[in-house]
Structure formats: structure tokens, C-alpha cells
């Protein structure tokens, strides 16, 4: 039997009152694969990212990790399952230090009774580990004691991505990580994605930068009006095709999403 992909999304729909944000999305990301998720504003990209991150449940449909169905009720459920997400807004605690953000929710306590009983944090160890991890991933490493609010936009982005890459062990999700960056930093992000892929994690890369998608992705899924308009790979994965399916200039090639639950996915 073929090995199940790291991530499989099956028939996911999402309704917000009268708005059908997702209309039956199927997609897969294998270990060591980078899959692009593209689409116009409002296509449903962030909605899907939030479902994969445990921020909100799907209305119908489900997701599987390594063939196992998941039921995320809170973001921590997704984190525990090995998913790390970099959101558009980065979700950093601006008043806190770089190291505190790096370890947010995963703080290390001091050895012995101070840590076990009193819950005292081992800041020195966290500072050192943060510096080591950032040094491996970023060319310009900020002082780990400095507050996040003093960092430039690019440095914040770098921290959020480095944090996600460090902690995820199954699926890394990046929701438009390069949109606010300069050229040099964009290149750095793409390099981090390539390194993450080499460690065997699956990467879902949401982007409006078509050249980035073509440069780094094995495959791209085009969302349009909440449905999958096309899945492009190999020679078909180029900017003109992406733009064509995003705008609707090219007719959707996937079967139109249907509300009936029958049939299910083809393979398996
Ligand atoms: N919490 C919400 N309440 C109501 N509508 C929402 C909510 N979140 C997203 N939507 C709607 O769902 C659709 C998809 O949005 P979104 O997933 O943010 O698209 P994208 O990230 O591709 O720009 C849009 O029509 C948006 O207005
Ligand atoms: Mg979005």
C-alpha cells in the first residue's frame, strides 16, 4: 500500500453565515514537499490555513496527518500534532524578548526544585538555544534579549519563520510570509523553506508572489471562490498559468466542487 501523505485535506467546506468560504477542498502535501496555495483575495486561503492550525473547525470534511484523521479543537491540538503556522500577522508578543517569543508556549524551566516546584524559567538556556537556532537559519541574528517591538519588519518575519521551522516536525504552514519583505529577505525566506523541506517536513506555502511559488514549490493548488480551480506541477507550473486560474481567465479544470457527500476522493 502506498504511504499516506503527511497532509491530506478531504472535502473541506466552511460557511460563515451566508458566505461559503470553502466549497469542498481536497489537497495533499507529502513529506519533503512544498505545495503552494494561491488565489485572489477572498479565495479562502487563510480560512483553510486556520482550519489546518486548529483555529476553527471545518463545517464539513476533514483533515488527515499521515493517514490519521485529526480533530483539532484548539490551536494547541495542531501544535501537538506537529503543525507550525506563520500567520500573516505573525502572532508575536511585541513587548517580550526575541527569546521569550521563540519559546512562547514551550518555556524551559530551571533544573531541580526551582523549576519543578516553583516553575522558574531557565532564561539563560532559552537565550542560548534561541541564539543557536536563529544563527542556523538567519543571516542577521537579532539580540535575543531585545523586545520584539524594536525589530524591523524583516527581522520579525525572520523570527516568526525560524520559530515555526524549529518547532514543527510534520507540517509547516506559511501564510504570505514574504509579502512585507525586501528582496534580500524574500530570498532568505525561500532558502529557509528549502532547508525545511530537506528535513522532511511538508510545507504549505501561501503566497501572492507567483515567482516565489514557481521557484520553490513542487506543486501549486489554485483556489478560486472557495474551490480548487487547478493543481499545477512540472511544466504547467508557471506564472501565466497561475494567474490565468487565479483570475478565472482559464476555466477551472478540477471537477466543480459539489455539496453532495457521495463518492469521496479518488485514490486510496
Ligand atoms: N470570520 C469570518 N466571518 C465571516 N466571513 C469570513 C470570515 N473569515 C473569512 N471570511 C470570508 O471568507 C472568504 C475567504 O476569506 P479568506 O480565507 O480570508 O481569503 P484569502 O485568505 O484567500 O484572502 C471571504 O469572503 C471572507 O470575507
Ligand atoms: Mg489571507
Amino acid at each position: 500500500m502506498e504511504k499516506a501523505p503527511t497532509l491530506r485535506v478531504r472535502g473541506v467546506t466552511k460557511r460563515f453565515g451566508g458566505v461559503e468560504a470553502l466549497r469542498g477542498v481536497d489537497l495533499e502535501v507529502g513529506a519533503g514537499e512544498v505545495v503552494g496555495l494561491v488565489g485572489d483575495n477572498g479565495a479562502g486561503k487563510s480560512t483553510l490555513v486556520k482550519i489546518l492550525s486548529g483555529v476553527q473547525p471545518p463545517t464539513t470534511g476533514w483533515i488527515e496527518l499521515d493517514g490519521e484523521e485529526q480533530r483539532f479543537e484548539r490551536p494547541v491540538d495542531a501544535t501537538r500534532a506537529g503543525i507550525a503556522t506563520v500567520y500573516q500577522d505573525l502572532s508575536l508578543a511585541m513587548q517580550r524578548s526575541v527569546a521569550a517569543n521563540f519559546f512562547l508556549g514551550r518555556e524551559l524551566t530551571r533544573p531541580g526544585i526551582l523549576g519543578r516546584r516553583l516553575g522558574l524559567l531557565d532564561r539563560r538556556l532559552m537565550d542560548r538555544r534561541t541564539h543557536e537556532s536563529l544563527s542556523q537559519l538567519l543571516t542577521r541574528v537579532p539580540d535575543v534579549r531585545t523586545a520584539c517591538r524594536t525589530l524591523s519588519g524583516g527581522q520579525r518575519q525572520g523570527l516568526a519563520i525560524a520559530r515555526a521551522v524549529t518547532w514543527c516536525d510534520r507540517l509547516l504552514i506559511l501564510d504570505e510570509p514574504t509579502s512585507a519583505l525586501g528582496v534580500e529577505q524574500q530570498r532568505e525566506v525561500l532558502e529557509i523553506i528549502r532547508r525545511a523541506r530537506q528535513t522532511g517536513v511538508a510545507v504549505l506555502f501561501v503566497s501572492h508572489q507567483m515567482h516565489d511559488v514557481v521557484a520553490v514549490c513542487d506543486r501549486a493548488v489554485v483556489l478560486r471562490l472557495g474551490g480548487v480551480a487547478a493543481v499545477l506541477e512540472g511544466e504547467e507550473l508557471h506564472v501565466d498559468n497561475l494567474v490565468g486560474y487565479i483570475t478565472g481567465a482559464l476555466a477551472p479544470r478540477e471537477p466543480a466542487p459539489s455539496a453532495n457527500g457521495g463518492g469521496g476522493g479518488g485514490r486510496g
Side-chain angles (χ1 to χ4, degrees), residues 40-47 49-50 88 175-176 206 208:
D40 212 347
N41 284 332
K45 305 180 296 296
S46 292
T47 299
V49 167
K50 286 178 194 155
Q88 272 170 300
D175 193 352
E176 305 215 30
V206 182
H208 272 123

Side-chain angles (χ1 to χ4, degrees), residues 91-163:
S91 315
L92 297 173
M94 289 300 164
Q95 304 303 323
R96 305 192 59 191
S97 73
V98 168
N101 273 282
F102 192 81
F103 276 93
L104 208 61
R106 300 177 173 92
E107 287 81 359
L108 303 176
T109 51
R110 300 257 289 267
I113 196 167
L114 289 177
R116 274 201 321 274
R117 297 277 288 276
L118 304 177
L120 287 194
L121 300 183
D122 198 335
R123 293 197 192 283
R124 237 185 243 179
L125 184 58
M126 288 194 282
D127 287 351
R128 200 175 73 226
R129 293 253 176 96
T130 300
H131 182 80
E132 285 167 4
S133 296
L134 294 182
S135 303
Q136 283 173 20
L137 291 167
L138 306 175
T139 46
R140 280 185 305 162
V141 181
D143 175 358
V144 299
R145 311 294 319 255
T146 195
C148 271
R149 73 183 135 72
T150 68
L151 302 181
S152 70
Q155 286 178 310
R156 289 176 194 177
Q157 198 90 34
L159 170 61
I161 292 171
R163 176 175 69 178

Side-chain angles (χ1 to χ4, degrees), residues 143-223:
D143 175 358
V144 299
R145 311 294 319 255
T146 195
C148 271
R149 73 183 135 72
T150 68
L151 302 181
S152 70
Q155 286 178 310
R156 289 176 194 177
Q157 198 90 34
L159 170 61
I161 292 171
R163 176 175 69 178
V165 169
T166 303
W167 299 118
C168 84
D169 46 25
R170 279 218 272 204
L171 174 65
L172 172 66
I173 305 175
L174 303 160
D175 193 352
E176 305 215 30
T178 60
S179 47
L181 299 182
V183 173
E184 196 52 46
Q185 288 159 332
Q186 287 188 22
R187 208 171 289 159
E188 192 165 70
V189 170
L190 297 188
E191 198 44 49
I192 291 174
I193 291 174
R194 292 195 182 99
R195 282 192 227 172
R197 155 206 274 155
Q198 281 166 10
T199 69
V201 300
V203 182
L204 186 65
F205 177 43
V206 182
S207 182
H208 272 123
Q209 316 276 336
M210 295 307 135
H211 289 282
D212 288 357
V213 170
V214 172
V216 81
C217 293
D218 299 297
R219 190 160 68 244
V221 174
V222 183
L223 279 188

